[in-house]
Amino acid sequence: MTKRGARTAVVAVVVTVSVAAAWVSSSAEGGRVRPGALIYEEHCARCHGLSGRGDGPDAATLIVPPANLQSLRSRSKSDFELLTTIAYGVAYSPMHGWRGRLTDDEMLEVIAYIRTMAPFYPAL
């Protein structure tokens, strides 16, 4: 390959990567990929479902059904309550704790993402 051909190939790769990065940025909220959404899809959606209704592909096989994050009961929980549940899990259920597997910042990102799907609604 000539110098000119190599240079053209490098430019083509740089342009392709730039276009892909711009597409990802433009398709994400606020111009950046939301880390909470990625973490949720990787670790939570199998049970809670992509929309948070507790209807993920693994939900039917669980003895204790996963929480429906869209329910009034879940939406009325404070961020602290959600953080505690995510960090330490729920006794006698398949919801195990994520402390030690996710950082505090990652758990807070997941909560922020959950709030975009199911905003806080205080119970009166």
Side-chain angles (χ1 to χ4, degrees):
M1 181 182 280
T2 66
K3 269 187 171 182
R4 185 176 183 139
R7 192 174 308 145
T8 302
V10 168
V11 169
V13 168
V14 169
V15 168
T16 302
V17 169
S18 297
V19 168
W23 178 79
V24 167
S25 292
S26 68
S27 65
E29 182 177 307
R32 66 184 185 90
V33 174
R34 296 186 328 246
L38 298 175
I39 296 166
Y40 180 90
E41 288 174 14
E42 181 178 347
H43 297 294
C44 312
R46 301 244 358 123
C47 295
H48 294 284
L50 289 174
S51 64
R53 296 192 189 281
D55 59 355
D58 292 350
T61 64
L62 300 174
I63 294 172
V64 177
N68 175 352
L69 303 173
Q70 300 285 349
S71 71
L72 181 58
R73 181 177 182 185
S74 291
R75 291 177 61 192
S76 65
K77 290 185 178 185
S78 68
D79 288 356
F80 179 75
E81 289 172 298
L82 292 177
L83 178 62
T84 301
T85 300
I86 293 168
Y88 300 107
V90 177
Y92 307 108
S93 83
M95 175 62 189
H96 51 81
W98 289 92
R99 181 156 310 282
R101 291 184 251 183
L102 295 176
T103 66
D104 289 345
D105 286 341
E106 288 171 326
M107 288 186 277
L108 292 173
E109 289 284 352
V110 169
I111 292 168
Y113 177 68
I114 290 170
R115 291 298 189 203
T116 66
M117 292 189 297
F120 176 65
Y121 187 86
L124 298 177

